[in-house]
């Protein structure tokens, strides 16, 4: 198994214990990135910087130390366009990816930013407005007018073309348990961002590289098979190849398979097939 | 290519409700002996040496072929290397397994035998496939664990779903379930084959099977790039689009007299796997007769005349003849003691084409006369 990337907070006492690992560092917008990156690179590989901001993109002061680094800026929204307009060139020039939630104005903001040439990433946890997400997905995958990629749609499109298997796009959200582990500040290991937030840990740093951790990672990666054992509706869903049961647990009320996800992923399968056609062969 | 359906054991760890192996009480754990295994490869070498252009495919079948363990397949590998030194590269292997016993121990020897993909069988309908002494959930869990191990080891796999009366009202459920589960290796829907009058609660007829396929076909046709290897649709379409020139399944090709031999654990030879299950067509022991002698058996000659007899009789006016060539001759043999009748599954091909394929695809089927 390939050594996973460890997504962890920028905590000196933790980083001291992670020599030799590839890291995705969660930092605040105000962090002294240059010093941190220099320290990390002395004994680690840097996968990405995950800058976690509480403010809208329009209110975040871009840090010029981000230039040339792989940066995901996580914001709750884009904010007022009037406030953002003057910073667009600066944001674009930094080459960062703006991560947005699927709630609130996230979907609208992703489309706006993508159309302005800014790469975005949607956190597809929780239950979105499936119709609105479908519109954005169609825009992301089929719109011929130039725009920046919107993740995870770009990853899904790339992977679904390369083979006929189910498309695992969890890596686009750093949620593939075989490739990413999420660490708490005190060094406990979670198999996903959601597990980290729910404080569901499989062990601590002593487990790194152990057969037990590898087994837990493998089991989580293959957990979708349980849906087939249970004859869950997801196993019989035409959209399963693209979602792999990601929404099987339904909403917070435990309502079962989410209303709308089946239609969304089934539509996406059709959209992807249209995307594979040469533009001149498309029916529009 | 000649296909040898070899049953190294007829014992099985499963007790599927329709299985002939279980009902006929062939549960003794008899494993193909070393001298029989060696004779198998001597016969293969002898046959291929005399036919420099020929190839042989061995389908390891059962019973459950993994029940006898990985050491047996190491002996297979050794026997092939020792006894088919010059002809072994014209031998390929496949395994038809329920996958519930697949473990990492099989990986190395299967790779050494050139196996890249395994055939499996599965049925999402509860209560059909069972592990001995347990329920179908135990079978399902063992199957899914086996498929996970198989994929981790880098093998592809396909799945056969046997359609029974219990599945008739769930065609699209089963279609999506199986194409989701085995998206790369292919999915094949076969009708349940039972001795006449046995297990009526499971039995279906050709029209019911045709209607079952017909409920799935529009989805497959509209999305055939997404589901490339769903059978019988893929092969049927390829056969039709090629004007009947492509090879279809053994049951439809009308050529099994020259292509198939079944071999049991004690070396008893029969026509194919199915005839072995049904106790039909004993061609004697591999210790006494060569493959060439089996293909020269008078009953094989009668089989070769079958097409001519059907074209002059029961299938005279059929314009989809080259899709099925009258179907599996064993259906006729089992029903009448003669090879010269058409299959009872006739509607599964010609009827399906007229009722579903042509209206849904808009393709008018015109096949080569006499193909």
């Amino acid at each position: 198994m390939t050594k996973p990337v460890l997504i962890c907070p920028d905590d000196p006492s933790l980083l001291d214990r992670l020599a030799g690992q590839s890291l995705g560092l969660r930092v605040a917008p105000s962090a002294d990135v240059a010093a941190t990156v220099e320290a990390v690179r002395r004994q680690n590989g840097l996968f990405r910087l995950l800058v976690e901001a509480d403010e809208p993109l329009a209110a975040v002061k871009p840090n010029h130390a981000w230039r040339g680094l792989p940066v995901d800026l996580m914001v709750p929204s884009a904010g007022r366009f009037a406030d953002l307009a003057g910073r667009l060139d600066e944001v674009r020039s930094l080459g960062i990816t703006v991560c947005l939630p699927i709630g609130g104005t996230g979907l609208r903001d992703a489309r706006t930013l993508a159309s302005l040439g800014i790469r975005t990433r949607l956190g597809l946890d929780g239950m979105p407005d499936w119709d609105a997400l479908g519109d954005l997905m169609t825009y992301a995958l089929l719109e011929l007018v130039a725009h920046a990629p919107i993740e995870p749609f770009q990853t899904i499109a790339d992977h679904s073309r390369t083979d006929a298997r189910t498309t695992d796009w969890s890596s686009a959200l750093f949620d593939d348990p075989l490739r990413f582990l999420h660490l708490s500040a005190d060094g406990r290991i979670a198999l996903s961002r959601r597990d980290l937030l729910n404080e569901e840990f499989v062990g601590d740093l002593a487990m790194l590289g152990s057969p037990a951790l590898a087994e837990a990672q493998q089991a989580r990666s293959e957990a979708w098979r349980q849906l087939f054992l249970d004859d869950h509706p997801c196993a019989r869903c035409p959209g399963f190849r693209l979602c792999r049961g990601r929404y099987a647990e339904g909403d917070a009320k435990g309502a079962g398979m989410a209303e709308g996800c089946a239609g969304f992923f089934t539509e996406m399968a059709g959209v992807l097939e249209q995307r594979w056609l040469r533009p001149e062969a498309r029916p529009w | 290519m000649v296909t040898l359906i070899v049953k190294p054991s007829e014992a099985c760890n499963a007790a599927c409700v329709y299985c002939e192996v279980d009902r006929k009480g062939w549960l003794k754990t008899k494993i193909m002996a070393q001298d029989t295994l060696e004779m198998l490869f001597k016969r293969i070498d002898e046959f291929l040496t005399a036919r420099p252009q020929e190839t042989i495919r061995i389908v390891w079948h059962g019973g459950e072929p993994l029940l006898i363990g990985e050491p047996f397949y190491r002996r297979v590998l050794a026997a092939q290397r020792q006894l088919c030194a010059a002809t072994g590269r014209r031998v390929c292997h496949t395994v038809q397994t329920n996958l519930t016993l697949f473990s990492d121990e099989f990986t190395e020897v299967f790779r050494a035998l050139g196996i890249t993909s395994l055939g499996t069988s599965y049925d999402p309908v509860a209560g059909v496939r069972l592990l001995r002494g347990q329920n179908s959930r135990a079978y399902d869990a063992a199957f899914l664990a086996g498929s996970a191990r198989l994929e981790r080891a880098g093998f592809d796999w396909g799945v056969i779903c046997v359609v029974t009366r219990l599945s008739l009202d769930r065609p699209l459920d089963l279609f999506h379930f199986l194409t989701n589960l085995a998206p790369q290796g292919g999915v094949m829907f076969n009708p349940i084959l039972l001795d006449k009058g046995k297990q009526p609660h499971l039995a279906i007829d050709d029209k019911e099977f045709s209607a079952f396929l017909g409920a799935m076909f529009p989805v497959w046709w509209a999305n055939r790039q997404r589901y490339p290897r769903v059978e019988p649709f893929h092969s049927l379409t390829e056969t039709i689009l090629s004007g009947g020139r492509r090879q279809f399944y053994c049951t439809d090709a009308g050529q099994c007299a020259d292509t198939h031999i079944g071999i049991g654990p004690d070396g008893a030879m029969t026509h194919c796997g199915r005839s072995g299950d049904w106790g039909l067509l004993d061609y004697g022991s591999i210790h006494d007769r060569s493959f060439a002698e089996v293909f020269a058996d008078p009953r094989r000659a009668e089989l070769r005349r079958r097409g001519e007899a059907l074209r002059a009789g029961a299938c005279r006016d059929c314009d989809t003849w080259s899709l099925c060539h009258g179907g599996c001759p064993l259906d006729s043999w089992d029903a009448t003691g003669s090879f010269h009748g058409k299959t009872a599954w006739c509607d599964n091909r010609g009827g399906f084409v007229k009722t579903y394929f042509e209206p849904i695809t808009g393709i008018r089927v015109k096949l080569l006369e006499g193909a």
Side-chain angles (χ1 to χ4, degrees):
Chain A
M1 188 181 293
T2 311
K3 212 170 176 180
V5 173
L6 306 179
I7 309 286
C8 61
D10 170 22
D11 184 305
S13 63
L14 177 63
L15 297 181
D16 282 347
R17 301 159 66 194
L18 299 177
Q21 306 287 342
S22 179
L23 303 182
L25 274 187
R26 291 172 16 225
V27 299
S30 57
D32 181 357
V33 168
T36 303
V37 167
E38 188 184 339
V40 164
R41 282 184 166 166
R42 273 200 294 270
Q43 54 180 2
N44 301 91
L46 178 66
F47 168 70
R48 291 192 86 75
L49 280 180
L50 306 173
V51 182
E52 299 175 318
D54 297 328
E55 300 173 299
L57 176 64
V60 175
K61 181 172 170 35
N63 185 335
H64 287 274
W66 298 345
R67 191 181 305 280
L69 295 174
V71 172
D72 275 30
L73 175 57
M74 307 165 87
V75 292
S77 68
R80 281 180 10 114
F81 185 76
D83 299 334
L84 183 62
R87 289 185 172 168
L88 286 174
D89 285 343
E90 192 178 14
V91 173
R92 266 194 297 259
S93 72
L94 290 173
I96 64 175
T97 299
V98 176
C99 301
L100 294 157
I102 52 174
T105 59
L107 302 184
R108 187 193 68 196
D109 291 348
R111 184 179 183 125
T112 303
L113 293 174
S115 71
L116 294 167
I118 296 170
R119 177 185 285 267
T120 58
R121 189 189 311 279
L122 289 166
L124 286 191
D125 277 332
M127 290 296 149
D129 174 342
W130 292 106
D131 286 341
L133 191 65
D135 289 344
L136 182 64
M137 175 269 294
T138 306
Y139 166 79
L141 297 179
L142 293 183
E143 176 56 63
L144 297 178
V145 173
H147 59 84
I150 301 175
E151 293 289 7
F153 303 134
Q154 186 66 38
T155 296
I156 294 173
D158 292 345
H159 284 69
S160 64
R161 184 65 202 267
T162 53
D163 60 40
R165 305 185 72 82
T166 54
T167 301
D168 183 359
W169 42 274
S170 55
S171 61
L173 304 180
F174 315 132
D175 249 357
D176 178 348
L178 298 178
R179 290 193 56 198
F180 300 99
L181 294 172
H182 296 256
L183 302 189
S184 64
D186 60 356
R188 287 177 294 170
I189 300 171
L191 295 175
S192 69
R193 170 85 171 156
R194 184 161 66 171
D195 283 4
L196 179 71
L197 295 174
N198 292 336
E199 299 193 326
E200 294 171 4
F201 299 103
V202 292
D204 56 27
L205 290 181
M207 259 188 114
L208 281 179
S210 69
L213 179 58
E215 194 174 318
Q217 291 173 270
Q218 194 75 49
R220 173 63 63 86
S221 176
E222 296 172 353
W224 57 269
R225 280 193 171 79
Q226 184 67 33
L227 299 170
F228 289 79
L229 184 59
D230 295 340
D231 199 14
H232 188 282
C234 287
R236 296 176 254 127
C237 174
F240 176 84
R241 287 174 171 216
L242 291 174
C243 79
R244 292 171 36 115
R246 193 177 182 91
Y247 300 93
E249 292 175 16
D251 57 26
K253 297 171 189 165
M257 188 169 67
E259 185 81 16
C261 61
F264 172 81
F265 285 104
T266 304
E267 181 185 358
M268 182 186 257
V271 166
L272 287 167
E273 283 160 5
Q274 290 299 319
R275 182 183 164 92
W276 298 341
L277 295 173
R278 290 167 302 161
E280 61 270 26
R282 292 175 186 162
W284 70 94
Chain B
M1 175 184 280
V2 166
T3 298
L4 304 178
I5 314 285
V6 183
K7 301 186 175 189
S9 170
E10 284 175 332
C12 189
N13 64 324
C16 304
V17 293
Y18 52 75
C19 184
E20 304 292 336
V21 169
D22 198 34
R23 286 196 296 119
K24 292 191 176 181
W26 289 335
L27 302 175
K28 50 191 179 294
T29 313
K30 185 161 58 177
I31 299 176
M32 183 174 276
Q34 183 65 20
D35 66 328
T36 303
L37 180 63
E38 289 176 4
M39 182 55 73
L40 169 66
F41 282 96
K42 286 176 187 168
R43 294 297 189 199
I44 289 171
D45 187 60
E46 168 188 79
F47 185 80
L48 291 177
T49 300
R51 293 166 180 75
Q53 305 303 317
E54 189 60 274
T55 56
I56 283 182
R57 176 179 60 158
I58 301 176
V59 181
W60 296 101
H61 209 287
E64 170 45 47
L66 301 191
L67 186 61
I68 55 180
E70 160 266 347
F72 176 83
Y73 295 96
R74 294 210 172 277
R75 290 197 282 123
V76 167
L77 183 64
Q80 177 171 315
R81 285 175 174 167
Q82 180 193 347
L83 301 167
C84 297
T87 56
R89 60 191 164 79
R90 287 188 279 141
V91 179
C92 67
H93 299 261
T94 63
V95 180
Q96 183 64 35
T97 168
N98 66 31
L99 210 52
T100 58
L101 297 169
F102 183 80
S103 62
D104 295 341
E105 285 76 41
F106 289 99
T107 300
E108 184 185 340
V109 69
F110 280 1
R111 283 197 187 121
L113 286 167
I115 295 170
T116 57
S117 178
L118 277 73
T120 73
S121 47
Y122 191 71
D123 195 328
V125 177
V128 174
R129 292 183 177 273
L130 315 167
L131 285 184
R132 199 165 296 285
Q134 301 179 66
N135 57 21
S136 58
R137 188 172 172 87
Y139 181 105
D140 295 349
F143 176 89
L144 291 165
S147 69
R149 284 191 285 271
L150 202 60
E151 290 184 5
R152 283 202 294 273
F155 290 96
D156 290 333
W157 57 284
V159 60
I160 292 174
C161 177
V162 176
V163 178
T164 71
R165 181 156 299 286
L166 305 178
S167 9
L168 283 183
D169 62 349
R170 298 182 55 187
L172 284 176
D173 270 4
L174 268 59
F175 177 89
H176 287 301
F177 188 105
L178 293 169
T179 53
N180 285 340
L181 185 59
Q184 194 172 46
V187 177
M188 176 184 284
F189 292 96
N190 283 344
I192 186 170
L193 300 173
L194 295 165
D195 283 350
K196 289 184 297 291
K198 299 282 177 61
Q199 306 208 72
H201 67 292
L202 298 176
I204 62 173
D205 63 28
D206 61 336
K207 288 187 170 49
E208 288 171 318
F209 185 57
S210 187
F212 177 87
L213 296 178
M216 296 189 289
F217 186 69
V219 176
W220 179 79
W221 179 255
N223 302 287
R224 56 194 182 281
Q225 287 185 312
R226 198 180 305 168
Y227 310 115
R229 293 181 60 197
V230 176
E231 302 290 7
F233 304 141
H234 170 71
S235 292
L236 184 71
T237 302
E238 290 285 301
T239 304
I240 289 170
L241 296 180
S242 70
R245 282 185 287 272
R246 292 201 181 201
Q247 176 79 36
F248 209 9
Y249 304 124
C250 64
T251 52
D252 303 301
Q255 298 172 345
C256 62
D258 296 306
T259 59
H260 280 66
I261 297 177
I263 301 167
D266 55 1
M269 291 189 286
T270 178
H271 190 74
C272 61
R274 190 173 162 198
S275 66
D277 287 345
W278 287 11
L280 303 174
L281 293 169
D282 177 2
Y283 290 125
S285 171
I286 198 170
H287 292 283
D288 304 323
R289 300 185 81 191
S290 68
F291 297 151
E293 288 175 293
V294 170
F295 283 127
D297 188 283
R299 286 165 292 183
R300 298 273 178 164
E302 191 184 345
L303 265 171
R304 291 184 192 100
R305 291 193 295 272
R306 179 171 186 256
E308 191 182 331
L310 285 171
R311 287 303 271 159
C315 302
R316 178 177 14 214
D317 299 322
C318 182
D319 56 5
T320 56
W321 159 259
S322 47
L323 288 182
C324 74
H325 301 88
C328 177
L330 293 181
D331 292 340
S332 174
W333 180 271
D334 188 50
T336 67
S338 161
F339 288 129
H340 292 179
K342 69 175 183 176
T343 175
W345 294 93
C346 183
D347 199 65
N348 177 23
R349 291 289 180 263
F352 176 81
V353 166
K354 295 298 175 193
T355 308
Y356 301 102
F357 185 89
E358 287 186 342
I360 290 167
T361 64
I363 297 172
R364 187 93 175 95
V365 177
K366 291 187 76 173
L367 296 170
L368 295 176
E369 185 66 24

